[in-house]
């Protein structure tokens, strides 16, 4: 019997990748932006994003049902080479920018929380290096690794939520509506911006074994909305809206007060696993998409570009304000690209060159 290595992933594995890759963004990275936009009402904005993104997921489901090839060749068949290469270039820049900022956030938190004396260049090289190796192994390796890491991320998240109930004051959530409707809408847009990262599925469409069903999209979206609202409410109830909004990483500040009785006073080391596991999968998937777009030979150069941009760029920008602008730009881009793909799905000509 000949052993054939797996080259495709199941719809369940795809949905789990959504939860990790988008979860780390909406659960951690976007939180300061949401709190700055709408304060104690930020969770309402996150809730309002659900119907909007449910409609978008319906479009994404339709598009995925029509793509029968790797994305760039499919666009080329529907249009021409220039448009296909243009789409690949745009999303190369998109993923380069997003991953660079993800790594920068990780380096800042790492240096602040537990490795203050370790050089940034070394921490960044380790993170990107391991992600590079995983990406080279392929989407199946990324999915299997995610299947191992994600259950522990979930368990640790439930743990910190539970043990901190004793210090939470949900009166901080009241009164509702202290911010304007436009502020709440901005929070909804930022939430939607993070969730729009689900668009990565179109770039790995030919790596899927079978089609994603409507329930995969709906359940994944519901979980991602909960992963946004949960830590928002938790941070506000624990620290108050003003203090939570002043924190760089409010989701992980909750770990500092998590304890088990009088015997175990500090368990925040578990947060290191949560963050690094999520960023590792997110970065590995982005590098794999680069490989899909430009081939394996391009991967070392793009990984080095992320490395240098993440190490150098941090000291020249206001990270929070720039991140807000980038997330809104990402929302516009992903929505426009979805509409573009939807239009291509209606085109019947040029199926054969």
């Amino acid at each position: 019997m000949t052993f054939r290595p797996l080259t495709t992933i199941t719809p369940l594995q795809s949905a789990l990748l959504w939860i990790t890759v988008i979860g780390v963004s909406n659960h951690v990275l976007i939180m300061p932006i949401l709190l700055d936009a709408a304060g104690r009402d930020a969770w309402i904005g996150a809730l309002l994003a659900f119907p909007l993104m449910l409609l978008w997921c319906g479009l994404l489901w339709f598009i995925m049902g029509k793509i029968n090839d790797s994305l760039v060749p499919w666009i080329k068949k529907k249009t021409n080479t220039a448009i296909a290469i243009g789409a690949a270039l745009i999303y190369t820049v998109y993923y380069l920018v997003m991953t660079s900022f993800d790594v920068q956030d990780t380096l800042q938190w790492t240096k602040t929380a537990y490795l203050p004396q370790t050089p940034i260049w070394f921490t960044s090289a380790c993170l990107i290096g391991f992600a590079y190796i995983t990406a080279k192994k392929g989407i199946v390796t990324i999915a299997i690794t995610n299947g191992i890491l994600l259950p522990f991320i979930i368990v640790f998240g439930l743990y910190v939520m539970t043990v901190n109930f004793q210090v939470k004051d949900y009166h901080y959530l009241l009164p509702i509506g202290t911010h304007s409707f436009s502020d709440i809408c901005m929070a909804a847009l930022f939430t939607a911006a993070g969730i729009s990262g689900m668009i990565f599925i179109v770039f790995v469409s030919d790596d899927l074994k079978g089609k994603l069903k409507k329930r995969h999209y709906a359940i994944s979206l519901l979980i991602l909305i909960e992963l946004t609202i949960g830590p928002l409410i938790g941070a506000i109830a624990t620290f108050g809206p003003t203090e939570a909004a002043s924190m760089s990483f409010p989701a992980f500040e909750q770990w500092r007060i998590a304890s088990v009785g009088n015997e175990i006073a500090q368990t925040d080391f578990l947060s290191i696993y949560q963050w690094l596991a999520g960023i590792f999968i997110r970065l590995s998937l982005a590098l794999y998409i680069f490989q899909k777009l430009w081939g394996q030979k391009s991967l070392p150069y793009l990984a080095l570009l992320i490395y240098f941009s993440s190490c150098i760029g941090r000291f020249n920008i206001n990270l929070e304000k720039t991140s807000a602008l980038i997330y809104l730009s990402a929302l516009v881009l992903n929505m426009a690209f979805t509409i573009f793909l939807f239009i291509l799905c209606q085109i019947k000509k040029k199926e054969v060159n």
Side-chain angles (χ1 to χ4, degrees), residues 210-231:
K211 296 292 184 181
L212 285 156
K213 299 185 184 299
K214 292 178 183 178
R215 66 173 179 271
H216 292 119
Y217 293 89
I219 294 173
S220 297
L221 176 61
L222 195 61
I223 291 172
L224 291 173
I225 290 293
E226 192 283 326
L227 285 174
T228 308
I229 293 175

Side-chain angles (χ1 to χ4, degrees), residues 14 71 94 154 162 176 179 191 200 221 260 265 268 305 309 327:
S14 306
L71 183 65
Y94 166 79
I154 294 171
T162 304
I176 293 174
H179 286 71
T191 303
F200 79 75
L221 176 61
V260 182
D268 55 345
L305 190 55
S309 62
Y327 274 110

Side-chain angles (χ1 to χ4, degrees), residues 38-320:
R40 76 171 84 238
D41 295 323
W43 66 274
I44 303 174
L47 194 61
L48 288 177
F50 179 75
L52 169 68
M53 298 314 291
L54 190 62
L55 292 173
W56 177 76
C57 281
L59 273 180
L60 196 58
W61 168 80
F62 175 81
I63 291 166
M64 286 294 292
K66 297 294 183 179
I67 297 176
N68 52 13
D69 197 354
S70 186
L71 183 65
V72 174
W74 182 79
I75 294 175
K76 182 180 176 182
K77 289 177 183 177
K78 293 284 188 176
T79 56
N80 55 53
T81 302
I83 293 177
I85 292 176
L89 283 171
I90 289 171
Y91 269 88
T92 299
V93 173
Y94 166 79
Y95 281 112
L96 279 172
V97 172
M98 296 300 289
T99 51
S100 294
F101 273 83
D102 291 345
V103 174
Q104 286 178 32
D105 266 325
T106 303
L107 294 176
Q108 180 184 5
W109 178 70
T110 298
K111 199 165 187 66
T112 303
Y114 61 96
L115 290 178
Q117 302 301 320
T118 304
I120 282 178
W121 65 264
F122 180 78
T123 309
S124 182
C126 290
L127 178 60
I128 295 173
F130 283 120
Y132 170 80
I133 294 170
T134 307
K136 281 194 71 174
K137 295 291 184 181
I139 189 69
V140 175
T141 300
I142 296 172
I144 292 173
T145 305
N146 181 60
I148 296 170
L149 298 177
L150 182 58
F152 294 100
I153 296 175
I154 294 171
V155 168
F156 295 155
L158 292 173
Y159 156 76
V160 71
M161 177 188 71
T162 304
V163 299
N164 280 346
F165 271 136
Q166 57 187 332
V167 297
K168 292 177 181 178
D169 183 357
Y170 289 97
H171 287 95
Y172 280 127
L173 297 172
L174 302 174
I176 293 174
T178 54
H179 286 71
S180 67
F181 184 68
S182 62
D183 290 339
I184 295 173
C185 286
M186 283 302 298
L189 289 177
F190 284 125
T191 303
I195 292 173
S196 72
M198 291 172 70
I199 195 76
F200 79 75
I201 201 69
V202 302
F203 293 95
V204 298
S205 57
D206 57 322
D207 293 317
L208 302 185
K209 184 180 180 181
K211 296 292 184 181
L212 285 156
K213 299 185 184 299
K214 292 178 183 178
R215 66 173 179 271
H216 292 119
Y217 293 89
I219 294 173
S220 297
L221 176 61
L222 195 61
I223 291 172
L224 291 173
I225 290 293
E226 192 283 326
L227 285 174
T228 308
I229 293 175
L232 271 174
I233 291 177
I236 294 168
T238 303
F239 305 110
T242 304
E243 185 66 22
S246 69
M247 296 175 174
S248 297
F249 309 108
F252 283 87
E253 291 298 330
Q254 296 175 62
W255 277 96
R256 294 182 182 275
I257 57 176
S259 61
V260 182
N262 297 321
E263 290 74 25
I264 305 177
Q266 292 291 326
T267 56
D268 55 345
F269 59 90
L270 296 175
S271 67
I272 299 172
Y273 171 89
Q274 272 195 318
W275 186 311
L276 291 185
I279 288 294
F280 168 70
I281 295 297
R282 187 174 169 89
L283 183 56
S284 298
L285 185 65
L287 289 171
Y288 177 74
I289 290 173
F290 291 148
Q291 185 174 286
K292 294 278 290 183
L293 293 175
W294 303 108
Q296 198 170 71
K297 290 183 179 179
S298 67
L299 196 55
Y301 303 104
L302 290 165
L304 283 173
L305 190 55
I306 294 171
Y307 172 74
F308 286 117
S309 62
S310 62
C311 289
I312 297 171
R314 155 159 302 283
F315 305 102
N316 302 318
I317 57 174
N318 184 317
L319 193 62
E320 186 171 322

